Amino acid sequence: MRDKPFAITLDVGSSLANKTGSWRVERPVYVDLLPPCNNACPAGENVQGWLYDAEDGSYERAWRTLMEDNPFPAVMGRVCYHPCQTVCNRGQVDEVVGINSVERFLGDHAIAQGWSVPISAEQTGKHVLVVGAGPSGLSAAYHLRRLGHDVTVRDAGEAAGGMMRYGIPKYRLPRAVLDAEIARIVAMGVRIELNHPVSDVEALLVGGDFDAVFLAVGAQIGKHADIPAGEAARILDAVGVLHDLEGGQPPLLGRQVAVYGGGNTAIDVARTAKRLGAEQAVIVYRRTRDRMPANDSEVEEALEEGVLMRWLSTVKYADAGRLVVERMELDESGFPVPTGEVDELAADSLVLALGQETDLTLLDGVPGLVVQDGVVEVDETQMTGRRGLFAGGNMVPAERTVTVAIGHGKKAARNIDAWLRATTYAPADKHPLADYARLNTWYYADAPHAVRPRLEAARRTTTFDEVVHGLDEASALYEARRCLSCGNCFECDNCFGVCPDNAVLKLGPGNRYEIDLEFCKGCGICVEECPSGSILMVSETGQP
Ligand SMILES: Cc1cc2nc3c(=O)[nH]c(=O)nc-3n(C[C@H](O)[C@H](O)[C@H](O)COP(=O)(O)OP(=O)(O)OC[C@H]3O[C@@H](n4cnc5c(N)ncnc54)[C@H](O)[C@@H]3O)c2cc1C
Ligand code: SF4
Ligand code: SF4
């Protein structure tokens, strides 16, 4: 352990004889840097900010900070793949902060408390149509409403939520949680018109009822593969299976189910098949596990539930009750190539989980659109080539996750708002990144990550009960306090304590500190001792 240069020897004001004069060449400045978690969150959440609020039990303030960016914390806390945690600096100290589990705690707490979102913006009288009530459309609607616009959301389905309802199974996202977060958006005055497919966007745009349109119709059509098959083969597509189940019509999959694909949808269908009573659910995937796009924790959970995996395999032929599967091997570049060796696999049904495509027929006749690889191009404001028509989520080129879709909705809302006001939206400049090298981590004691409890494996395959449980309040508080507050002062008083010249002035709770340059000699001890890296030395000319 290094020696800390603590030098607290003088009482405040006792160094008045030590006025600096003009010989200091550098001086410290307090800065706010961009924590890597904030930078990585696709919804643009101020993660460090709401963790800081949550740390002392100010849950409502934390939740409201979070809701500035994302209206679905309880959903996020269950389904987001948390890229924020992948880059969390604490991972280099011991284990990353469980950001996602604290987010879930706040989301669930807000639902239990019945907290709502007031609209303080002046009403603009502008009316925006949102097509699609999935995460992207609902996020756009929420932010547009907060900005004072009237919003109508039209969706083809019987219930709102998009793939959050008709894709992600209940054992990962209980519907009461989803319903509560959607109901809060409706309570803000957003109108959702269900069973209302939109088939002609151009007619709506020129019709004059709406001042702008945001499209977020997702990717609903399961991709097909040309698999030779006997007449009695039972081949279904994964999104159809999950959709029918949610609609109350559990599909007939049989006792032996094979799922073809390696993404999260394949895992969800296989785990669902087990819960519907299949004795065997096997995933057939042409590559190896390390190449599987599915989330690792979901693969683990599927294996725990008895889902089987056939790596390096492709389906050559499907017939009633059986599949012919060809073994693959990896060539020198790691690409799977056929071996010509085949096996038989018992399967009453084959479910294809090979990805989804967007149905763009509602855009027929819209001038100026650019469609590439089946998705609609948008500019940096989320506007398509047709003026006044914005788009986001799975129907535009981007990673296909709930959080990315929510981020698009927010970004589109801010740009639609600017467009309706005939201005441009200019996001604030990003602060420099608070990377690990800037932190002084010896101040932080080791504190292992709080683990979320899970439903025991035996009960998982017989029910659709939620598998991963939330943290209790004590564990959520503990987890929030593990945050290192990267690049942002958290008023620990270290600088105040270590300054040999008493040049650090305390401005009171919430107001941080100020350097009294009359007394600062520019020794830089405060910079050395700031745990969160929130003080930088700059030359007297102002350059770092
Ligand atoms: C099985 C499965 C599991 C997944 N799991 C996760 C996960 O755990 N975490 C994660 O981050 N992502 C997950 N995803 C991906 C995620 O669900 C999507 O990226 C996200 O839902 C896309 O949001 P969206 O708003 O663009 O579209 P969608 O969620 O697809 O919503 C589009 C909405 O538009 C409506 N619509 C379509 N056409 C029309 C029309 N013509 N008129 C009116 N309405 C229309 C649809 O009814 C739908 O409600 C999963 C996807 C699937 C399929
Ligand atoms: S939404 Fe996802 S990426 Fe953003 S803070 Fe939550 S868990 Fe992290
Ligand atoms: S320690 Fe805190 S501020 Fe730093 S990256 Fe992790 S969650 Fe973000």
Side-chain angles (χ1 to χ4, degrees):
M1 187 190 269
R2 66 170 273 185
D3 288 326
K4 292 176 191 152
F6 281 124
I8 313 167
T9 51
L10 300 171
D11 289 333
V12 176
S14 63
S15 62
L16 292 182
N18 291 344
K19 275 202 173 185
T20 309
S22 58
W23 46 267
R24 188 183 56 228
V25 290
E26 282 191 315
R27 63 184 144 100
V29 288
Y30 289 94
V31 289
D32 279 303
L33 302 177
L34 177 62
C37 51
N38 292 25
N39 193 37
C41 172
E45 289 183 24
N46 179 2
V47 179
Q48 185 273 326
W50 56 255
L51 283 172
Y52 180 75
D53 289 337
E55 269 175 25
D56 66 357
S58 304
Y59 304 133
E60 184 165 359
R61 202 166 61 218
W63 178 78
R64 292 198 184 280
T65 304
L66 199 166
M67 293 286 288
E68 285 295 310
D69 299 295
N70 190 337
F72 286 107
V75 171
M76 289 292 98
R78 291 171 166 84
V79 308
C80 180
Y81 300 126
H82 42 72
C84 55
Q85 293 185 193
T86 311
V87 297
C88 170
N89 279 332
R90 176 122 211 169
Q92 297 187 56
V93 176
D94 43 28
E95 292 171 280
V96 299
V97 175
I99 300 167
N100 186 250
S101 49
V102 181
E103 187 170 28
R104 169 174 170 165
F105 171 80
L106 293 174
D108 287 355
H109 192 67
I111 293 173
Q113 299 296 315
W115 291 334
S116 57
V117 179
I119 296 162
S120 47
E122 217 169 284
Q123 298 305 296
T124 63
K126 301 283 185 189
H127 194 177
V128 183
L129 174 69
V130 173
V131 185
S136 203
L138 291 174
S139 162
Y142 166 81
H143 287 287
L144 283 163
R145 192 69 203 101
R146 288 182 72 216
L147 290 162
H149 305 297
D150 269 351
V151 188
T152 298
V153 184
R154 288 189 179 154
D155 196 286
E158 286 178 9
M163 285 298 179
M164 296 189 289
R165 184 184 302 279
Y166 290 103
I168 300 174
K170 288 181 178 137
Y171 59 82
R172 292 206 288 121
L173 177 55
R175 298 310 184 240
V177 171
L178 177 62
D179 289 344
E181 293 202 320
I182 295 176
R184 191 189 293 128
I185 297 173
V186 172
M188 292 166 64
V190 168
R191 266 182 305 278
I192 301 184
E193 299 175 353
L194 297 168
N195 297 308
H196 203 138
V198 169
S199 55
D200 188 346
V201 169
E202 187 57 21
L204 289 167
L205 278 163
V206 295
D209 291 339
F210 302 102
D211 299 291
V213 175
F214 178 64
L215 279 182
V217 296
Q220 315 292 323
I221 309 169
K223 279 189 190 160
H224 282 270
D226 267 339
I227 297 170
E231 272 187 19
R234 185 159 170 70
I235 302 181
L236 303 102
D237 90 86
V239 280
V241 165
L242 295 167
H243 191 281
D244 289 351
L245 178 64
E246 186 60 29
Q249 295 163 331
L252 297 172
L253 298 172
R255 286 186 301 136
Q256 324 250 27
V257 182
V259 182
Y260 197 18
N264 290 315
T265 306
I267 304 280
D268 278 337
V269 172
R271 295 176 72 186
T272 296
K274 280 290 227 179
R275 284 164 171 79
L276 290 174
E279 282 165 16
Q280 178 176 294
V282 53
I283 291 179
V284 179
Y285 180 54
R286 69 194 187 102
R287 293 171 182 256
T288 43
R289 175 166 178 181
D290 53 322
R291 296 293 190 91
M292 206 176 190
N295 186 276
D296 217 38
S297 65
E298 281 170 43
V299 178
E300 272 310 313
E301 283 169 18
L303 290 169
E304 283 163 17
E305 290 164 15
V307 169
L308 304 174
M309 306 280 174
R310 262 196 87 119
W311 314 112
L312 285 173
S313 303
T314 54
V315 179
K316 294 295 284 181
Y317 182 74
D319 209 346
R322 73 184 185 101
L323 297 179
V324 177
V325 172
E326 179 172 10
R327 284 192 212 148
M328 310 291 276
E329 63 184 11
L330 297 179
D331 68 11
E332 279 165 8
S333 61
F335 194 77
V337 289
T339 61
E341 294 169 33
V342 293
D343 289 324
E344 267 209 13
L345 187 68
D348 299 315
S349 58
L350 172 65
V351 185
L352 304 180
L354 304 167
Q356 289 107 246
E357 289 166 331
T358 299
D359 179 355
L360 293 175
T361 49
L362 77 168
L363 292 173
D364 287 351
V366 178
L369 287 187
V370 180
V371 176
Q372 198 156 358
D373 299 329
V375 284
V376 177
E377 298 278 338
V378 287
D379 66 14
E380 66 288 348
T381 71
Q382 301 286 139
M383 203 195 289
T384 66
R386 164 70 162 93
R387 282 181 65 71
L389 180 62
F390 296 75
N394 279 6
M395 65 174 298
V396 306
E399 202 188 343
R400 289 184 166 179
T401 69
V402 173
T403 327
V404 167
I406 286 172
H408 286 175
K410 175 177 98 171
K411 190 171 163 201
R414 292 181 178 175
N415 283 292
I416 291 170
D417 175 67
W419 192 76
L420 292 174
R421 295 175 197 270
T423 66
T424 47
Y425 169 68
D429 286 345
K430 281 189 175 186
H431 295 298
L433 200 62
D435 49 28
Y436 182 73
R438 292 199 192 245
L439 308 182
N440 296 314
T441 51
W442 62 82
Y443 276 107
Y444 302 101
D446 273 3
H449 176 87
V451 177
R452 293 192 239 201
R454 280 161 203 264
L455 193 67
E456 61 271 28
R459 278 189 55 206
R460 290 204 215 152
T461 45
T462 49
T463 70
F464 277 83
D465 289 354
E466 189 168 25
V467 171
V468 181
H469 292 191
L471 298 181
D472 60 19
E473 182 179 353
S475 310
L477 260 180
Y478 163 86
E479 202 52 38
R481 288 174 184 162
R482 291 184 66 241
C483 173
L484 309 177
S485 192
C486 304
N488 291 276
C489 168
F490 60 101
E491 299 183 43
C492 69
D493 278 358
N494 265 12
C495 51
F496 177 74
V498 297
C499 176
D501 294 297
N502 289 347
V504 175
L505 306 176
K506 259 174 122 160
L507 303 182
N511 294 316
R512 301 179 173 178
Y513 312 91
E514 195 174 79
I515 305 287
D516 186 343
L517 293 172
E518 289 281 308
F519 293 96
C520 171
K521 295 200 194 67
C523 67
I525 288 180
C526 55
V527 176
E528 285 293 309
E529 295 302 314
C530 171
S532 61
S534 312
I535 317 176
L536 297 183
M537 291 307 280
V538 296
S539 76
E540 280 301 318
T541 55
Q543 299 302 309

